[in-house]
Amino acid sequence: MKNQRVVEPEYLFFNTERKKKFITGSEAVKEAIKRANVDMAVSYPITPQSESMHLVGDIYAEGYLKDYFRGENEFAVMSSVTGAAMGGVRVFTATGGPGTLRAFEMFPTWAGARLPVVCAFLTRGVNSPLTIQPDTIEMSFVLDTGMIMLHAETAQDLYDMVLKAFVIAEKTDVHIPVGVFADGFFVTHTRDSVEIAPEDIKLPPYDTYSAPVPVMDMENAPIRQMRDPFVMKSNFISYAAHASWQQETMAAMERSRKYIYNYLGGLVEVENQEADILIVTSGTAVSQSREAIAIAREEGLDVGLIKIKSIRPFPTEEIRQLTQKAKAVIVPEFNRIGWLSREIKSVVTDSSKVQGAPRVFGGMTMPIELILDEIRRCSL
């Protein structure tokens, strides 16, 4: 293994001197894992995620990970990740698009088993006819699996979120999986200036015995994934056990809020929150919105921006309060169904002012003119 010095998370995240590198989002994933003190990574190729896990394999060869292997398919990868996490291993993987769907059964399993898995979802379209192009529709499928969901706008976000996700996931009062989502190609294959910590330091190792559920090892009595046979029965005790456990999993997600605030500075970022028109969005739609806002301001239009960093837990109170005075809320999205606008409409005081547009999908880019048209229309 590489000789790296273990430092406290706060020092690695906030206090150490960072250097800028001009790298892709896939390389940002590699740089995060290099400093995350990961025990094992399991991979399977699928565009646009393939490069990121290939690069993680490279740093395994350099001695930054203890183990790395390729699974038979996406479901096998996520099953292997499940077993590793149950054994007390800090584990990482990545997928995207059809890979997310093929592996889907394991995501609620991770949450239900209270496994602090970190997975990067580098999103792409899953519609027919087949496309490998950017689209965030898979995020709508993952919303209710019990997983914390962070959405990166840039390669810098992706680096920071992947690295910090391990610390958030492994907190005793949280201890559920974290999915870090980034828009495929727009982030994964685009170079950007990313500030990264020195490569000779790393996070402390995963403290297995801080977990709220026992790990499978020789220090504990043999256990099963389903620890109590009665929960398989059809009776009141079974129903109550399942209901209470799902409530606890959701409560664990709520408890993650304070750590997201601590390490990521909050669930949202806000610019010009007093504006009559607010754009509320996440991922690379934020970058497109920034350009549209700059042009709108030159035209004398008052527009603000709310960047959502955490999709689960959702910034319900933040969105409700920030949008209270706004006359219009515009939600640009890279998907067909508008899942983010539905989330926002469910929490704002007056849902009629939420404009679920513009939306592009199937791999289309989002011309800033589309966002500008919505801004101009709402300003009339």
Side-chain angles (χ1 to χ4, degrees), residues 19 35 37 40 108 153 183 226 279-280 282 302 333 352:
K19 291 185 178 180
R35 294 153 179 80
N37 203 355
M40 177 185 290
E153 175 192 357
D183 302 352
M226 189 65 72
I279 295 180
V280 186
S282 65
D302 191 22
E333 296 188 60
S352 66

Side-chain angles (χ1 to χ4, degrees), residues 52-299:
S52 62
M53 290 307 291
H54 173 93
L55 292 169
V56 171
D58 286 347
I59 62 172
Y60 160 70
E62 296 171 13
Y64 286 96
L65 289 82
K66 295 176 184 175
D67 205 358
Y68 173 93
F69 65 92
R70 190 185 114 165
E72 300 90 334
N73 54 55
E74 290 90 347
F75 180 77
V77 166
M78 303 309 171
S79 299
S80 300
V81 164
T82 303
M86 284 183 167
V89 168
R90 180 178 287 166
V91 63
F92 175 76
T93 190
T95 190
T100 299
L101 271 61
R102 192 174 191 189
F104 198 89
E105 183 183 351
M106 285 297 103
F107 305 145
T109 298
W110 292 350
R114 301 294 296 276
L115 303 179
V117 174
V118 174
C119 179
F121 293 85
L122 307 177
T123 65
R124 61 172 264 197
V126 295
N127 55 306
S128 181
L130 181 64
T131 175
I132 63 169
Q133 301 304 324
D135 197 298
T136 62
I137 194 169
E138 69 196 80
M139 293 182 67
S140 67
F141 305 149
V142 185
L143 286 173
D144 298 308
T145 58
M147 183 186 302
I148 294 170
M149 298 172 63
L150 307 176
H151 198 183
E153 175 192 357
T154 61
Q156 183 70 65
D157 279 354
L158 186 54
Y159 167 83
D160 288 329
M161 288 177 175
V162 168
L163 187 55
K164 295 173 182 180
F166 290 99
V167 178
I168 295 169
E170 292 168 9
K171 293 293 184 181
T172 303
D173 55 344
V174 178
H175 225 272
I176 54 176
V178 178
V180 179
F181 293 77
D183 302 352
F185 295 105
F186 294 148
V187 176
T188 58
H189 288 61
T190 302
R191 290 191 179 275
D192 200 355
S193 182
V194 180
E195 295 184 349
I196 60 176
E199 61 184 29
D200 63 345
I201 59 176
K202 62 182 178 181
L203 291 175
Y206 172 39
D207 179 5
T208 303
Y209 296 98
S210 67
V213 292
V215 297
M216 295 180 179
D217 71 0
M218 298 306 292
E219 301 300 318
N220 289 296
I223 59 173
R224 301 172 299 280
Q225 178 181 345
M226 189 65 72
R227 292 176 173 80
D228 299 294
F230 74 85
V231 300
M232 300 296 289
K233 306 283 185 184
S234 292
N235 56 39
F236 176 78
I237 298 298
S238 170
Y239 308 149
H242 279 286
S244 62
W245 192 251
Q246 290 186 35
Q247 287 176 310
E248 168 55 21
T249 302
M250 292 302 101
M253 181 178 293
E254 287 301 306
R255 293 193 293 267
S256 74
R257 289 179 186 269
K258 58 181 177 289
Y259 301 114
I260 295 172
Y261 268 89
N262 187 29
Y263 296 121
L264 293 174
L267 282 69
V268 300
E269 290 179 11
V270 187
E271 298 175 15
N272 193 21
Q273 67 186 64
E274 299 299 324
D276 288 339
I277 301 172
L278 290 176
I279 295 180
V280 186
T281 190
S282 65
T284 52
V286 176
S287 298
Q288 300 296 94
S289 299
R290 292 184 198 279
E291 292 193 40
I293 289 171
I295 296 173
R297 286 175 180 166
E298 290 177 0
E299 298 178 6

